[in-house]
Amino acid sequence: MAALIITLILLLLILILAGRLRYLESQAVDRQLQAHVTQNAAKIKGARRFYLKTLYRSNPPLGLIRIVTIILTVIAGAALLWTVAAQLAVADVIPAGAADFLSDLFTTETAERNTAAWILAGSALLASGLRWYTIKALHTIQDAEDTGQMRDVYTTPRELRVKMDSTRQVQLVLIMIGAVMVALASQFNLYPADADTTADTSQSTAQSSASSASSQQSSTNSTDTSNPAPKQDPHTPLGALQAAKDAPLSVADKLTDADRATLIFMAYWAMEGEDPATLFDRGTAGSDYYYHIIPNNGQPLYVFNSHTPSSNTTANMFVACVDNGDVWFYSLYNSPSQSPHLSDITALTTQNGSARPTDQPLANQSFRFRQMITLNYQQTGYARVHQILQNGYAMTL
């Protein structure tokens, strides 16, 4: 939180200095109006802009530096927006095609955010350094041309020029400090996450959730579920899921049942060590894939199975229990039952009006649904899975 506060203070100071520059500029125009009573403010401002452009034209190296500075500034601005979008996990800020490309480069929102932050720092430092050089060069040129009189409508009194240049230089220093701070704070995860729980504390959350599930199943389970699975390498499918940050609630709220089923299906295969983005790269092997939703008293159960028409065989794959934003996975061991009753496929334990499979949850931990959104919603392959996965027949407990 301290890093965020300092960053906001720096931003506020930069804006205050921008306001001071506008004030000094208006003072320069006011003095010209006093010296040239036949002119108006618009003409004087136009003349001042034209004079500045003339200085750049008459000094080609400065003109080139100005163009490079503008390009770097645009890059820095885009990198800042990218950093903020990745930090807040605003998935729909980035177009789908770009998101597909980025997902091949970055396995987590954190990696994407850190890269964007360092691009911001590098481009901001270069742009600020070039701008500093330009300010000094222009000041030297104008000093040489300054007669100390207000004969020309584009003239800026020297004392005002000194104040304006000093203000610009202080502003550049603050920009450089702010850009480096954003990069370092991002690298060391010093900014607060969008949700109350960050990726670094996801394991303690999973442990708490697993303990709750264990108490519900204590009458039928002898295995301890209070110990979550260890953290995996974030470059693996399961590790990327563990490390993913929570997507905004606004994104989660607008998802359809089909969207949720797709995300759960992809997360399951990540737990199995498969890359969710390439699930159907080799086709469906003649099988159809279905999801079935059981309301389950506010803790919906998503049942997934496949059916092969050529042999008329069914393989029940797994059940996902969504409990207050956490998702628990239970294997159905490819049971061939085609019953519309889940209890015919696997043993269930009921607690407080809600049921879940008696077997141990896979990986001994839950995953937050909003993690799945962050990791897979715009990932390559999401649309393919969404297209193939179909809403199946109605099921009950």
Side-chain angles (χ1 to χ4, degrees):
M1 182 59 73
L4 178 61
I5 293 174
I6 294 174
T7 303
L8 292 176
I9 291 174
L10 288 173
L11 178 60
L12 178 61
L13 291 175
I14 291 170
L15 294 175
I16 290 174
L17 290 175
R20 173 174 167 77
L21 280 174
R22 290 183 63 87
Y23 170 73
L24 292 173
E25 178 69 24
S26 67
Q27 279 196 324
V29 173
D30 288 342
R31 291 199 187 183
Q32 288 288 358
L33 288 173
Q34 294 173 7
H36 302 276
V37 294
T38 60
Q39 300 294 329
N40 56 47
K43 289 184 178 180
I44 291 174
K45 291 178 181 178
R48 292 170 60 79
R49 287 193 297 270
F50 180 79
Y51 172 63
L52 190 60
K53 291 179 181 178
T54 300
L55 292 182
Y56 284 120
R57 291 195 191 98
S58 60
N59 295 271
L62 279 183
L64 178 61
I65 290 174
R66 176 175 176 267
I67 294 173
V68 174
T69 303
I70 292 173
I71 294 173
L72 289 170
T73 301
V74 171
I75 293 174
L80 177 60
L81 292 176
W82 184 13
T83 303
V84 173
Q87 169 66 21
L88 299 179
V90 185
D92 52 2
V93 166
I94 303 174
D100 289 348
F101 172 74
L102 293 176
S103 67
D104 293 334
L105 301 179
F106 310 110
T107 57
T108 65
E109 287 288 334
T110 300
E112 181 179 337
R113 180 200 65 199
N114 292 348
T115 300
W118 284 111
I119 292 175
L120 163 64
S123 54
L125 287 174
L126 287 174
S128 298
L130 292 176
R131 179 58 178 158
W132 185 290
Y133 174 82
T134 302
I135 290 171
K136 292 187 66 175
L138 291 176
H139 186 83
T140 300
I141 294 173
Q142 291 180 82
D143 266 354
E145 296 179 353
D146 192 358
T147 62
Q149 300 178 6
M150 301 287 286
R151 293 181 306 176
D152 302 309
V153 293
Y154 54 77
T155 302
T156 302
R158 190 178 191 283
E159 66 273 16
L160 281 180
R161 278 196 292 109
V162 170
K163 290 180 181 179
M164 294 169 75
D165 290 344
S166 298
T167 301
R168 292 189 181 99
Q169 289 171 332
V170 173
Q171 193 179 44
L172 290 175
V173 170
L174 292 178
I175 290 173
M176 288 188 283
I177 293 174
V180 172
M181 181 171 180
V182 167
L184 292 175
S186 176
Q187 185 69 43
F188 294 102
N189 293 315
L190 299 181
Y191 288 127
D194 173 63
D196 293 335
T197 308
T198 64
D200 292 334
T201 61
S202 63
Q203 293 302 310
S204 62
T205 302
Q207 181 172 350
S208 173
S209 299
S211 299
S212 173
S214 178
S215 65
Q216 293 178 6
Q217 303 173 17
S218 59
S219 62
T220 54
N221 262 324
S222 59
T223 305
D224 181 12
T225 61
S226 64
N227 295 317
K231 285 186 177 180
Q232 304 292 319
D233 182 345
H235 294 88
T236 64
L238 178 56
L241 181 59
Q242 290 176 327
K245 292 173 53 181
D246 286 350
L249 280 171
S250 58
V251 177
D253 290 342
K254 65 183 181 182
L255 298 182
T256 64
D257 286 339
D259 294 332
R260 295 185 179 91
T262 300
L263 292 169
I264 291 172
F265 191 78
M266 297 178 78
Y268 169 80
W269 286 106
M271 293 177 61
E272 294 294 304
E274 298 287 342
D275 179 7
T278 60
L279 284 179
F280 293 111
D281 276 1
R282 295 180 296 275
T284 62
S287 297
D288 299 318
Y289 291 84
Y290 298 92
Y291 67 91
H292 317 262
I293 303 176
I294 303 174
N296 195 33
N297 196 28
Q299 295 181 15
L301 297 174
Y302 285 74
V303 184
F304 294 82
N305 60 18
S306 65
H307 182 261
T308 305
S310 60
S311 59
N312 193 29
T313 57
T314 295
N316 295 297
M317 301 162 62
F318 68 97
V319 176
C321 178
V322 182
D323 182 358
N324 195 29
D326 293 327
V327 184
W328 299 82
F329 294 87
Y330 303 85
S331 178
L332 294 179
Y333 308 104
N334 287 329
S335 164
S337 172
Q338 297 187 40
S339 174
H341 305 293
L342 183 59
S343 57
D344 292 339
I345 302 173
T346 186
L348 300 176
T349 298
T350 302
Q351 183 78 20
N352 297 327
S354 299
R356 66 175 64 191
T358 302
D359 288 343
Q360 286 290 99
L362 295 173
N364 281 345
Q365 70 175 125
S366 65
F367 296 92
R368 296 187 303 279
F369 185 76
R370 289 161 66 190
Q371 285 180 297
M372 301 175 192
I373 298 174
T374 298
L375 184 62
N376 292 325
Y377 190 41
Q378 288 195 336
Q379 189 186 67
T380 303
Y382 173 85
R384 175 72 169 156
V385 177
H386 192 283
Q387 179 185 24
I388 290 177
L389 199 58
Q390 305 174 55
N391 188 7
Y393 51 79
M395 290 191 69
T396 64
L397 296 175

